[in-house]
Amino acid sequence: MKTVGVSVGYLAENMDPDNNCAPLFESRLELVEPNLVFVPSLNPEDPMGFNNMLIELMRDIMKMATLIKRLKKNEKRNYGDMVKENQDIIDMRREILNGVDRVMEEASLFCRQFERYSYLWLDDRHECMEYFLEYGRILDVDEIDLVLMKEPSAPQPCAPTIEAFREQIDNYESLFNEIEDIAPFQIFNSWFQVDVRPFRQALLNTVCKWGNMFKEHLVNTVTNNLMDLSCFIRKADEGL
């Protein structure tokens, strides 16, 4: 009973927010397109998730009592059954699992704040670029629908200006700095830590791809124009 109590009590003590202990458990936030996922998962239904991992951990702690055989050969109950019926053990186990439920809910709410960046990995970059080059700006969903339906009120084709390119590039550079400032770790109830770095790095890489797409188009355009100019000068020289 003491052996099981010490182990379960250790979990309960370190998972008590009032004790302000260092984080005992951690989950990583990762971008697995098209979803944000926690590793291990915070889904209670996931057999490999954090909730079930902790349940299995406590189940293994309880099993320690079953390793000692009863001296009474005719006794049907083993020590494991007796430990499970101990009210202190029951209370600590309930307290631990309730704390897990609260943390999983808070972590899921925390994750939702990043949904505002979802267009970065959900939108098709090349398709957006085609619309930008044709209409001179990034079209929203409603405008794209009007274009596809060939409505009279749809945006009219218009070549993008250098200012439009600069606006897009500045936007993604500003977004890069904003994402870089996201805290690398988030702690809930003092005992559960979320490592945000994998998601943050994946998002920074995605933002760079968007910004570089506009930069590369400008570079290619200037290069092609210079080549055309060079060809024209060479032909002009030959004519002269």
Side-chain angles (χ1 to χ4, degrees):
M1 188 73 72
K2 287 182 180 179
T3 303
V4 173
V6 164
S7 296
V8 177
Y10 174 83
L11 292 177
E13 180 180 348
N14 280 270
M15 293 171 68
D16 186 347
D18 295 333
N19 292 334
N20 291 319
C21 298
L24 185 63
F25 295 104
E26 179 183 87
S27 184
R28 299 189 312 277
L29 182 62
E30 298 183 359
L31 175 59
V32 181
E33 297 183 15
N35 300 313
L36 290 179
V37 298
F38 287 98
V39 182
S41 170
L42 300 188
N43 182 359
E45 306 299 325
D46 188 346
M48 303 300 293
F50 176 73
N51 186 63
N52 286 314
M53 182 185 75
L54 203 56
I55 290 174
E56 286 297 324
L57 178 60
M58 288 190 288
R59 190 172 293 162
D60 285 344
I61 292 173
M62 302 289 189
K63 283 182 181 178
M64 288 193 291
T66 66
L67 301 178
I68 308 299
K69 295 183 179 180
R70 295 294 304 268
L71 295 177
K72 294 181 180 179
K73 293 183 179 180
N74 297 329
E75 184 63 47
K76 294 182 179 180
R77 293 195 312 160
N78 59 35
Y79 289 127
D81 296 328
M82 297 173 68
V83 166
K84 288 178 184 177
E85 295 169 2
N86 180 269
Q87 191 58 47
D88 289 338
I89 299 292
I90 292 173
D91 291 342
M92 282 192 291
R93 187 176 184 277
R94 184 185 300 114
E95 180 184 345
I96 290 170
L97 293 181
N98 287 341
V100 170
D101 289 339
R102 287 193 298 270
V103 158
M104 287 196 297
E105 184 177 348
E106 290 180 19
S108 297
L109 289 173
F110 165 75
C111 184
R112 289 178 191 171
Q113 69 173 299
F114 299 124
E115 290 180 358
R116 68 180 186 272
Y117 300 118
S118 62
Y119 70 94
L120 291 170
W121 66 82
L122 292 178
D123 290 355
D124 187 311
R125 290 195 303 276
H126 300 294
E127 184 179 281
C128 288
M129 189 63 175
E130 288 176 3
Y131 282 121
F132 177 79
L133 294 176
E134 185 172 357
Y135 296 97
R137 58 187 177 86
I138 298 294
L139 302 183
D140 59 34
V141 177
D142 293 335
E143 289 175 324
I144 292 175
D145 288 339
L146 292 174
V147 170
L148 294 176
M149 291 187 293
K150 298 181 179 179
E151 293 285 342
S153 58
Q156 298 302 310
C158 175
T161 63
I162 291 296
E163 185 63 31
F165 274 98
R166 185 169 64 181
E167 182 181 336
Q168 291 299 320
I169 293 171
D170 289 347
N171 172 57
Y172 289 112
E173 288 182 352
S174 174
L175 199 56
F176 185 93
N177 294 331
E178 177 186 323
I179 294 169
E180 235 183 357
D181 289 336
I182 295 175
F185 298 98
Q186 183 71 26
I187 297 175
F188 301 94
N189 283 7
S190 81
W191 63 267
F192 187 78
Q193 177 174 279
V194 173
D195 184 357
V196 187
R197 292 175 301 175
F199 164 72
R200 186 178 65 177
Q201 188 58 53
L203 197 55
L204 288 173
N205 292 341
T206 303
V207 171
C208 283
K209 290 177 182 178
W210 278 92
N212 288 339
M213 179 176 67
F214 290 92
K215 293 176 184 177
E216 288 171 4
H217 182 83
L218 282 180
V219 170
N220 292 336
T221 300
V222 170
T223 302
N224 291 336
N225 288 341
L226 288 175
M227 290 178 65
D228 291 342
L229 177 60
S230 176
C231 183
F232 169 78
I233 292 174
R234 186 173 64 252
K235 290 181 177 180
D237 284 342
E238 292 173 358
L240 291 173

